[in-house]
Amino acid sequence: MELQPLREIIAAAQSGSAEAYDVLMDRYGRRLYGYFFRATGNHHDAEDLLGELMLRLVRRLESYDDRGRFEPWLFRIAANMVRDRIRRVKTRPRMASLSVEEDGGLSLGDKLAGDGPRVDANALAAELSEDLQRALNRLDDATRQMILLRHFGEMSFKEIANVFNAPLGTVLARVHRGLKSLREIMGSSDNG
Amino acid sequence: MDEQFDNIARYLDGEQVELTDEQRRLADEIRADEASLSGALDVEMPARAMRNVRRRIADELAPPRGRRRLFYRVATSAAIAASILLATALLLRLPNPTQTNPETRHGALAAVEFIEPLQDQTDIEIALLAGDVERLEQEVLLDSGPEVEEMELESLERDVDEFWLDQAAPMEVLLPSS
């Protein structure tokens, strides 16, 4: 089945079509969720941020003028939201919660449930995912965001440079260093 | 060095750029690192999260309903009733008979004598109705208190969100100053 052109979907959404927003969710929901999850480290925040982003889209899509690419516009909003969330978390004392997950996406409640060691393929994938999350958390905020925007937002270096208002070379150098760090951290965790 | 990185970035963005062997090696390394990460970074989105987000969108697109609609209807009725009462009160208090033309004074006095008892009665009724309107408004506000607060909070949050969206400084604030 041929995909409906994005321009038509956006026009329908701009006129308030709920179906059009469903299509946008189908197209971008998972990637945005992945971006938010990797940027914040927990599912609760990822869902919350995705919900907030979609509400902003409902309220702000009218202002999207279709002159540029839709995805960078969308992920730029997402990046601003993550930045605000990080800033807020840094200035707010942290509280333990049974529902809010720690790094790796496991909530304290999940951990207290004590399922014991998991040995299936899903468990191994989850473990790898948690290792990767810990490695990402060790990067500075900007480098982590740049790497995530490259992957989830499929953004060019030039687009990321615009988001960060940074020189193109600086973005590339940071992404390169960040990827190298991730490779080293992941490599050392594989060996250990 | 910056120029070298610029070239590599433009090359990786798909521009036609001539690279040295060293630059090409670095570009290949970045590509390989990104490729090796791509599968691992992806995350399964829980179906529950997808449902919740879709519900939030549907709620946002839906017109006000239920209690909110009732609240709007009662509040509108109360405002209309208050306006009618105010208009009636003003009509009954005008004109002032002491300032009328002497030729019409007799007729006006007669009218006032006729109206005065009615006016006293009307004042009482106005006061009672005004009390009812006030009570009704209080009840509506009490009944829908959390919802009203929620609406105000939502509105404030929306304002703040939009402020950040519009005014948010570029992301360089995340970059440490060099």
Side-chain angles (χ1 to χ4, degrees), chain A residues 52-81:
Chain A
E52 280 301 307
L53 174 61
M54 293 311 290
L55 294 191
R56 286 182 192 200
L57 207 58
V58 172
R59 294 166 196 153
R60 304 286 303 219
L61 197 56
E62 272 178 44
S63 67
Y64 175 72
D65 62 6
D66 205 18
R67 272 183 302 186
R69 285 210 305 139
F70 179 68
E71 283 176 54
W73 182 78
L74 193 61
F75 275 87
R76 188 188 182 114
I77 297 173
N80 279 335
M81 290 174 66

PDB file of all heavy atoms in Angstrom, chain A residues 52-81:
ATOM      1  N   GLU A  52       3.306  14.977  25.872  1.00  0.00           N
ATOM      2  CA  GLU A  52       3.415  16.442  25.850  1.00  0.00           C
ATOM      3  C   GLU A  52       3.734  16.953  24.445  1.00  0.00           C
ATOM      4  O   GLU A  52       3.178  17.949  23.984  1.00  0.00           O
ATOM      5  CB  GLU A  52       4.522  16.898  26.806  1.00  0.00           C
ATOM      6  CG  GLU A  52       4.105  16.939  28.258  1.00  0.00           C
ATOM      7  CD  GLU A  52       2.931  17.869  28.477  1.00  0.00           C
ATOM      8  OE1 GLU A  52       3.008  19.027  28.056  1.00  0.00           O
ATOM      9  OE2 GLU A  52       1.920  17.419  29.052  1.00  0.00           O
ATOM     10  N   LEU A  53       4.651  16.259  23.796  1.00  0.00           N
ATOM     11  CA  LEU A  53       5.045  16.681  22.446  1.00  0.00           C
ATOM     12  C   LEU A  53       3.847  16.616  21.496  1.00  0.00           C
ATOM     13  O   LEU A  53       3.627  17.541  20.699  1.00  0.00           O
ATOM     14  CB  LEU A  53       6.184  15.797  21.933  1.00  0.00           C
ATOM     15  CG  LEU A  53       6.596  16.042  20.480  1.00  0.00           C
ATOM     16  CD1 LEU A  53       7.092  17.463  20.276  1.00  0.00           C
ATOM     17  CD2 LEU A  53       7.668  15.078  20.033  1.00  0.00           C
ATOM     18  N   MET A  54       3.072  15.544  21.594  1.00  0.00           N
ATOM     19  CA  MET A  54       1.932  15.407  20.685  1.00  0.00           C
ATOM     20  C   MET A  54       0.887  16.494  20.973  1.00  0.00           C
ATOM     21  O   MET A  54       0.256  17.017  20.058  1.00  0.00           O
ATOM     22  CB  MET A  54       1.310  14.008  20.787  1.00  0.00           C
ATOM     23  CG  MET A  54       2.199  12.882  20.273  1.00  0.00           C
ATOM     24  SD  MET A  54       2.940  13.154  18.639  1.00  0.00           S
ATOM     25  CE  MET A  54       1.509  13.049  17.569  1.00  0.00           C
ATOM     26  N   LEU A  55       0.709  16.844  22.245  1.00  0.00           N
ATOM     27  CA  LEU A  55      -0.232  17.928  22.568  1.00  0.00           C
ATOM     28  C   LEU A  55       0.262  19.254  21.990  1.00  0.00           C
ATOM     29  O   LEU A  55      -0.512  20.057  21.479  1.00  0.00           O
ATOM     30  CB  LEU A  55      -0.419  18.065  24.080  1.00  0.00           C
ATOM     31  CG  LEU A  55      -1.093  16.888  24.793  1.00  0.00           C
ATOM     32  CD1 LEU A  55      -1.451  17.263  26.220  1.00  0.00           C
ATOM     33  CD2 LEU A  55      -2.335  16.418  24.068  1.00  0.00           C
ATOM     34  N   ARG A  56       1.579  19.464  22.091  1.00  0.00           N
ATOM     35  CA  ARG A  56       2.138  20.689  21.496  1.00  0.00           C
ATOM     36  C   ARG A  56       1.919  20.701  19.995  1.00  0.00           C
ATOM     37  O   ARG A  56       1.672  21.742  19.396  1.00  0.00           O
ATOM     38  CB  ARG A  56       3.639  20.781  21.783  1.00  0.00           C
ATOM     39  CG  ARG A  56       3.919  21.155  23.205  1.00  0.00           C
ATOM     40  CD  ARG A  56       5.394  21.270  23.430  1.00  0.00           C
ATOM     41  NE  ARG A  56       5.660  21.351  24.860  1.00  0.00           N
ATOM     42  CZ  ARG A  56       6.766  21.814  25.376  1.00  0.00           C
ATOM     43  NH1 ARG A  56       7.717  22.246  24.593  1.00  0.00           N
ATOM     44  NH2 ARG A  56       6.938  21.869  26.663  1.00  0.00           N
ATOM     45  N   LEU A  57       2.036  19.513  19.429  1.00  0.00           N
ATOM     46  CA  LEU A  57       1.836  19.404  17.981  1.00  0.00           C
ATOM     47  C   LEU A  57       0.400  19.800  17.623  1.00  0.00           C
ATOM     48  O   LEU A  57       0.172  20.540  16.664  1.00  0.00           O
ATOM     49  CB  LEU A  57       2.106  17.950  17.560  1.00  0.00           C
ATOM     50  CG  LEU A  57       2.567  17.722  16.133  1.00  0.00           C
ATOM     51  CD1 LEU A  57       3.844  18.493  15.852  1.00  0.00           C
ATOM     52  CD2 LEU A  57       2.778  16.244  15.884  1.00  0.00           C
ATOM     53  N   VAL A  58      -0.549  19.301  18.415  1.00  0.00           N
ATOM     54  CA  VAL A  58      -1.956  19.642  18.164  1.00  0.00           C
ATOM     55  C   VAL A  58      -2.144  21.163  18.235  1.00  0.00           C
ATOM     56  O   VAL A  58      -2.831  21.754  17.418  1.00  0.00           O
ATOM     57  CB  VAL A  58      -2.874  18.939  19.195  1.00  0.00           C
ATOM     58  CG1 VAL A  58      -4.310  19.439  19.072  1.00  0.00           C
ATOM     59  CG2 VAL A  58      -2.833  17.428  19.010  1.00  0.00           C
ATOM     60  N   ARG A  59      -1.471  21.780  19.220  1.00  0.00           N
ATOM     61  CA  ARG A  59      -1.660  23.227  19.419  1.00  0.00           C
ATOM     62  C   ARG A  59      -0.823  24.072  18.479  1.00  0.00           C
ATOM     63  O   ARG A  59      -1.145  25.225  18.219  1.00  0.00           O
ATOM     64  CB  ARG A  59      -1.289  23.597  20.857  1.00  0.00           C
ATOM     65  CG  ARG A  59      -2.230  22.987  21.874  1.00  0.00           C
ATOM     66  CD  ARG A  59      -1.630  23.103  23.260  1.00  0.00           C
ATOM     67  NE  ARG A  59      -2.314  22.220  24.202  1.00  0.00           N
ATOM     68  CZ  ARG A  59      -1.758  21.708  25.288  1.00  0.00           C
ATOM     69  NH1 ARG A  59      -0.498  21.989  25.573  1.00  0.00           N
ATOM     70  NH2 ARG A  59      -2.441  20.931  26.078  1.00  0.00           N
ATOM     71  N   ARG A  60       0.300  23.495  18.000  1.00  0.00           N
ATOM     72  CA  ARG A  60       1.250  24.320  17.257  1.00  0.00           C
ATOM     73  C   ARG A  60       1.404  23.962  15.785  1.00  0.00           C
ATOM     74  O   ARG A  60       2.152  24.630  15.077  1.00  0.00           O
ATOM     75  CB  ARG A  60       2.633  24.230  17.916  1.00  0.00           C
ATOM     76  CG  ARG A  60       2.674  24.600  19.378  1.00  0.00           C
ATOM     77  CD  ARG A  60       2.554  26.071  19.550  1.00  0.00           C
ATOM     78  NE  ARG A  60       3.594  26.753  18.813  1.00  0.00           N
ATOM     79  CZ  ARG A  60       4.233  27.822  19.242  1.00  0.00           C
ATOM     80  NH1 ARG A  60       3.943  28.338  20.399  1.00  0.00           N
ATOM     81  NH2 ARG A  60       5.152  28.399  18.506  1.00  0.00           N
ATOM     82  N   LEU A  61       0.767  22.896  15.365  1.00  0.00           N
ATOM     83  CA  LEU A  61       1.001  22.443  13.992  1.00  0.00           C
ATOM     84  C   LEU A  61       0.606  23.507  12.974  1.00  0.00           C
ATOM     85  O   LEU A  61       1.167  23.566  11.881  1.00  0.00           O
ATOM     86  CB  LEU A  61       0.250  21.131  13.735  1.00  0.00           C
ATOM     87  CG  LEU A  61       0.705  20.334  12.510  1.00  0.00           C
ATOM     88  CD1 LEU A  61       2.190  20.020  12.559  1.00  0.00           C
ATOM     89  CD2 LEU A  61      -0.088  19.055  12.354  1.00  0.00           C
ATOM     90  N   GLU A  62      -0.325  24.349  13.352  1.00  0.00           N
ATOM     91  CA  GLU A  62      -0.735  25.426  12.443  1.00  0.00           C
ATOM     92  C   GLU A  62       0.448  26.298  12.052  1.00  0.00           C
ATOM     93  O   GLU A  62       0.503  26.836  10.950  1.00  0.00           O
ATOM     94  CB  GLU A  62      -1.801  26.300  13.103  1.00  0.00           C
ATOM     95  CG  GLU A  62      -3.198  25.793  12.884  1.00  0.00           C
ATOM     96  CD  GLU A  62      -4.215  26.657  13.592  1.00  0.00           C
ATOM     97  OE1 GLU A  62      -4.092  27.884  13.514  1.00  0.00           O
ATOM     98  OE2 GLU A  62      -5.112  26.083  14.238  1.00  0.00           O
ATOM     99  N   SER A  63       1.387  26.448  13.009  1.00  0.00           N
ATOM    100  CA  SER A  63       2.512  27.349  12.742  1.00  0.00           C
ATOM    101  C   SER A  63       3.588  26.679  11.888  1.00  0.00           C
ATOM    102  O   SER A  63       4.548  27.328  11.494  1.00  0.00           O
ATOM    103  CB  SER A  63       3.124  27.847  14.051  1.00  0.00           C
ATOM    104  OG  SER A  63       3.723  26.769  14.730  1.00  0.00           O
ATOM    105  N   TYR A  64       3.439  25.382  11.625  1.00  0.00           N
ATOM    106  CA  TYR A  64       4.408  24.718  10.762  1.00  0.00           C
ATOM    107  C   TYR A  64       4.090  25.090   9.310  1.00  0.00           C
ATOM    108  O   TYR A  64       2.981  24.858   8.829  1.00  0.00           O
ATOM    109  CB  TYR A  64       4.336  23.195  10.951  1.00  0.00           C
ATOM    110  CG  TYR A  64       5.225  22.443   9.991  1.00  0.00           C
ATOM    111  CD1 TYR A  64       6.602  22.466  10.138  1.00  0.00           C
ATOM    112  CD2 TYR A  64       4.682  21.750   8.918  1.00  0.00           C
ATOM    113  CE1 TYR A  64       7.413  21.812   9.244  1.00  0.00           C
ATOM    114  CE2 TYR A  64       5.492  21.092   8.014  1.00  0.00           C
ATOM    115  CZ  TYR A  64       6.857  21.129   8.182  1.00  0.00           C
ATOM    116  OH  TYR A  64       7.662  20.481   7.284  1.00  0.00           O
ATOM    117  N   ASP A  65       5.077  25.687   8.619  1.00  0.00           N
ATOM    118  CA  ASP A  65       4.756  26.256   7.309  1.00  0.00           C
ATOM    119  C   ASP A  65       5.220  25.411   6.122  1.00  0.00           C
ATOM    120  O   ASP A  65       5.125  25.828   4.980  1.00  0.00           O
ATOM    121  CB  ASP A  65       5.301  27.678   7.195  1.00  0.00           C
ATOM    122  CG  ASP A  65       6.815  27.694   7.302  1.00  0.00           C
ATOM    123  OD1 ASP A  65       7.419  26.611   7.352  1.00  0.00           O
ATOM    124  OD2 ASP A  65       7.393  28.787   7.325  1.00  0.00           O
ATOM    125  N   ASP A  66       5.743  24.210   6.429  1.00  0.00           N
ATOM    126  CA  ASP A  66       6.056  23.280   5.357  1.00  0.00           C
ATOM    127  C   ASP A  66       7.200  23.757   4.456  1.00  0.00           C
ATOM    128  O   ASP A  66       7.375  23.245   3.359  1.00  0.00           O
ATOM    129  CB  ASP A  66       4.801  23.011   4.503  1.00  0.00           C
ATOM    130  CG  ASP A  66       4.895  21.663   3.800  1.00  0.00           C
ATOM    131  OD1 ASP A  66       5.720  20.846   4.246  1.00  0.00           O
ATOM    132  OD2 ASP A  66       4.187  21.453   2.816  1.00  0.00           O
ATOM    133  N   ARG A  67       7.962  24.744   4.923  1.00  0.00           N
ATOM    134  CA  ARG A  67       9.080  25.189   4.086  1.00  0.00           C
ATOM    135  C   ARG A  67      10.305  24.288   4.299  1.00  0.00           C
ATOM    136  O   ARG A  67      11.105  24.091   3.420  1.00  0.00           O
ATOM    137  CB  ARG A  67       9.451  26.642   4.396  1.00  0.00           C
ATOM    138  CG  ARG A  67       8.667  27.629   3.572  1.00  0.00           C
ATOM    139  CD  ARG A  67       9.116  29.026   3.852  1.00  0.00           C
ATOM    140  NE  ARG A  67       8.966  29.363   5.273  1.00  0.00           N
ATOM    141  CZ  ARG A  67       9.184  30.557   5.777  1.00  0.00           C
ATOM    142  NH1 ARG A  67       9.592  31.524   5.010  1.00  0.00           N
ATOM    143  NH2 ARG A  67       9.012  30.794   7.061  1.00  0.00           N
ATOM    144  N   GLY A  68      10.405  23.777   5.542  1.00  0.00           N
ATOM    145  CA  GLY A  68      11.550  22.916   5.832  1.00  0.00           C
ATOM    146  C   GLY A  68      11.101  21.473   5.990  1.00  0.00           C
ATOM    147  O   GLY A  68       9.949  21.146   5.750  1.00  0.00           O
ATOM    148  N   ARG A  69      12.033  20.635   6.404  1.00  0.00           N
ATOM    149  CA  ARG A  69      11.659  19.237   6.629  1.00  0.00           C
ATOM    150  C   ARG A  69      10.902  19.127   7.943  1.00  0.00           C
ATOM    151  O   ARG A  69      11.235  19.795   8.927  1.00  0.00           O
ATOM    152  CB  ARG A  69      12.923  18.375   6.683  1.00  0.00           C
ATOM    153  CG  ARG A  69      13.535  18.137   5.310  1.00  0.00           C
ATOM    154  CD  ARG A  69      14.262  16.794   5.253  1.00  0.00           C
ATOM    155  NE  ARG A  69      15.268  16.629   6.292  1.00  0.00           N
ATOM    156  CZ  ARG A  69      15.455  15.486   6.957  1.00  0.00           C
ATOM    157  NH1 ARG A  69      14.685  14.445   6.700  1.00  0.00           N
ATOM    158  NH2 ARG A  69      16.408  15.392   7.857  1.00  0.00           N
ATOM    159  N   PHE A  70       9.916  18.246   7.944  1.00  0.00           N
ATOM    160  CA  PHE A  70       9.069  18.108   9.124  1.00  0.00           C
ATOM    161  C   PHE A  70       9.825  17.438  10.279  1.00  0.00           C
ATOM    162  O   PHE A  70       9.722  17.864  11.423  1.00  0.00           O
ATOM    163  CB  PHE A  70       7.830  17.277   8.754  1.00  0.00           C
ATOM    164  CG  PHE A  70       6.889  17.045   9.897  1.00  0.00           C
ATOM    165  CD1 PHE A  70       6.166  18.094  10.445  1.00  0.00           C
ATOM    166  CD2 PHE A  70       6.719  15.773  10.431  1.00  0.00           C
ATOM    167  CE1 PHE A  70       5.286  17.882  11.500  1.00  0.00           C
ATOM    168  CE2 PHE A  70       5.843  15.552  11.483  1.00  0.00           C
ATOM    169  CZ  PHE A  70       5.131  16.608  12.012  1.00  0.00           C
ATOM    170  N   GLU A  71      10.602  16.413   9.953  1.00  0.00           N
ATOM    171  CA  GLU A  71      11.256  15.646  11.019  1.00  0.00           C
ATOM    172  C   GLU A  71      12.222  16.476  11.867  1.00  0.00           C
ATOM    173  O   GLU A  71      12.153  16.415  13.093  1.00  0.00           O
ATOM    174  CB  GLU A  71      11.990  14.442  10.426  1.00  0.00           C
ATOM    175  CG  GLU A  71      11.026  13.325  10.080  1.00  0.00           C
ATOM    176  CD  GLU A  71      11.740  12.185   9.401  1.00  0.00           C
ATOM    177  OE1 GLU A  71      12.723  11.678   9.970  1.00  0.00           O
ATOM    178  OE2 GLU A  71      11.341  11.840   8.295  1.00  0.00           O
ATOM    179  N   PRO A  72      13.111  17.236  11.233  1.00  0.00           N
ATOM    180  CA  PRO A  72      13.997  18.067  12.077  1.00  0.00           C
ATOM    181  C   PRO A  72      13.215  19.049  12.939  1.00  0.00           C
ATOM    182  O   PRO A  72      13.591  19.318  14.084  1.00  0.00           O
ATOM    183  CB  PRO A  72      14.863  18.816  11.055  1.00  0.00           C
ATOM    184  CG  PRO A  72      14.822  17.987   9.846  1.00  0.00           C
ATOM    185  CD  PRO A  72      13.484  17.333   9.821  1.00  0.00           C
ATOM    186  N   TRP A  73      12.116  19.566  12.387  1.00  0.00           N
ATOM    187  CA  TRP A  73      11.266  20.494  13.150  1.00  0.00           C
ATOM    188  C   TRP A  73      10.717  19.786  14.386  1.00  0.00           C
ATOM    189  O   TRP A  73      10.779  20.296  15.506  1.00  0.00           O
ATOM    190  CB  TRP A  73      10.124  20.981  12.249  1.00  0.00           C
ATOM    191  CG  TRP A  73       9.200  21.976  12.860  1.00  0.00           C
ATOM    192  CD1 TRP A  73       9.430  23.312  13.037  1.00  0.00           C
ATOM    193  CD2 TRP A  73       7.878  21.735  13.369  1.00  0.00           C
ATOM    194  NE1 TRP A  73       8.339  23.910  13.618  1.00  0.00           N
ATOM    195  CE2 TRP A  73       7.375  22.960  13.832  1.00  0.00           C
ATOM    196  CE3 TRP A  73       7.080  20.601  13.471  1.00  0.00           C
ATOM    197  CZ2 TRP A  73       6.109  23.083  14.390  1.00  0.00           C
ATOM    198  CZ3 TRP A  73       5.814  20.718  14.026  1.00  0.00           C
ATOM    199  CH2 TRP A  73       5.344  21.952  14.486  1.00  0.00           C
ATOM    200  N   LEU A  74      10.235  18.557  14.165  1.00  0.00           N
ATOM    201  CA  LEU A  74       9.652  17.761  15.239  1.00  0.00           C
ATOM    202  C   LEU A  74      10.708  17.410  16.298  1.00  0.00           C
ATOM    203  O   LEU A  74      10.488  17.577  17.503  1.00  0.00           O
ATOM    204  CB  LEU A  74       9.079  16.480  14.625  1.00  0.00           C
ATOM    205  CG  LEU A  74       8.161  15.613  15.449  1.00  0.00           C
ATOM    206  CD1 LEU A  74       6.920  16.387  15.854  1.00  0.00           C
ATOM    207  CD2 LEU A  74       7.747  14.369  14.650  1.00  0.00           C
ATOM    208  N   PHE A  75      11.854  16.967  15.821  1.00  0.00           N
ATOM    209  CA  PHE A  75      12.893  16.543  16.755  1.00  0.00           C
ATOM    210  C   PHE A  75      13.576  17.737  17.426  1.00  0.00           C
ATOM    211  O   PHE A  75      14.132  17.600  18.503  1.00  0.00           O
ATOM    212  CB  PHE A  75      13.910  15.628  16.056  1.00  0.00           C
ATOM    213  CG  PHE A  75      13.452  14.199  16.039  1.00  0.00           C
ATOM    214  CD1 PHE A  75      12.643  13.717  15.024  1.00  0.00           C
ATOM    215  CD2 PHE A  75      13.781  13.339  17.076  1.00  0.00           C
ATOM    216  CE1 PHE A  75      12.195  12.408  15.023  1.00  0.00           C
ATOM    217  CE2 PHE A  75      13.338  12.031  17.093  1.00  0.00           C
ATOM    218  CZ  PHE A  75      12.544  11.558  16.064  1.00  0.00           C
ATOM    219  N   ARG A  76      13.487  18.879  16.792  1.00  0.00           N
ATOM    220  CA  ARG A  76      14.027  20.072  17.446  1.00  0.00           C
ATOM    221  C   ARG A  76      13.164  20.418  18.673  1.00  0.00           C
ATOM    222  O   ARG A  76      13.684  20.754  19.742  1.00  0.00           O
ATOM    223  CB  ARG A  76      14.022  21.239  16.461  1.00  0.00           C
ATOM    224  CG  ARG A  76      14.731  22.442  17.003  1.00  0.00           C
ATOM    225  CD  ARG A  76      14.557  23.643  16.093  1.00  0.00           C
ATOM    226  NE  ARG A  76      15.309  24.753  16.661  1.00  0.00           N
ATOM    227  CZ  ARG A  76      16.373  25.304  16.100  1.00  0.00           C
ATOM    228  NH1 ARG A  76      16.805  24.877  14.950  1.00  0.00           N
ATOM    229  NH2 ARG A  76      17.007  26.276  16.701  1.00  0.00           N
ATOM    230  N   ILE A  77      11.854  20.302  18.501  1.00  0.00           N
ATOM    231  CA  ILE A  77      10.953  20.529  19.639  1.00  0.00           C
ATOM    232  C   ILE A  77      11.248  19.482  20.718  1.00  0.00           C
ATOM    233  O   ILE A  77      11.349  19.804  21.905  1.00  0.00           O
ATOM    234  CB  ILE A  77       9.467  20.440  19.198  1.00  0.00           C
ATOM    235  CG1 ILE A  77       9.147  21.535  18.185  1.00  0.00           C
ATOM    236  CG2 ILE A  77       8.541  20.564  20.408  1.00  0.00           C
ATOM    237  CD1 ILE A  77       7.755  21.426  17.573  1.00  0.00           C
ATOM    238  N   ALA A  78      11.412  18.226  20.273  1.00  0.00           N
ATOM    239  CA  ALA A  78      11.699  17.151  21.227  1.00  0.00           C
ATOM    240  C   ALA A  78      12.995  17.441  21.984  1.00  0.00           C
ATOM    241  O   ALA A  78      13.067  17.261  23.207  1.00  0.00           O
ATOM    242  CB  ALA A  78      11.794  15.813  20.487  1.00  0.00           C
ATOM    243  N   ALA A  79      14.005  17.919  21.252  1.00  0.00           N
ATOM    244  CA  ALA A  79      15.302  18.211  21.883  1.00  0.00           C
ATOM    245  C   ALA A  79      15.161  19.338  22.906  1.00  0.00           C
ATOM    246  O   ALA A  79      15.749  19.284  23.997  1.00  0.00           O
ATOM    247  CB  ALA A  79      16.324  18.590  20.816  1.00  0.00           C
ATOM    248  N   ASN A  80      14.377  20.353  22.588  1.00  0.00           N
ATOM    249  CA  ASN A  80      14.152  21.443  23.541  1.00  0.00           C
ATOM    250  C   ASN A  80      13.448  20.931  24.790  1.00  0.00           C
ATOM    251  O   ASN A  80      13.748  21.360  25.911  1.00  0.00           O
ATOM    252  CB  ASN A  80      13.299  22.541  22.901  1.00  0.00           C
ATOM    253  CG  ASN A  80      14.134  23.468  22.032  1.00  0.00           C
ATOM    254  OD1 ASN A  80      15.333  23.600  22.234  1.00  0.00           O
ATOM    255  ND2 ASN A  80      13.509  24.085  21.051  1.00  0.00           N
ATOM    256  N   MET A  81      12.487  20.015  24.589  1.00  0.00           N
ATOM    257  CA  MET A  81      11.766  19.471  25.739  1.00  0.00           C
ATOM    258  C   MET A  81      12.702  18.665  26.635  1.00  0.00           C
ATOM    259  O   MET A  81      12.632  18.764  27.860  1.00  0.00           O
ATOM    260  CB  MET A  81      10.613  18.583  25.261  1.00  0.00           C
ATOM    261  CG  MET A  81       9.500  19.383  24.614  1.00  0.00           C
ATOM    262  SD  MET A  81       8.237  18.320  23.899  1.00  0.00           S
ATOM    263  CE  MET A  81       7.564  17.570  25.364  1.00  0.00           C
TER     264      MET A  81
END
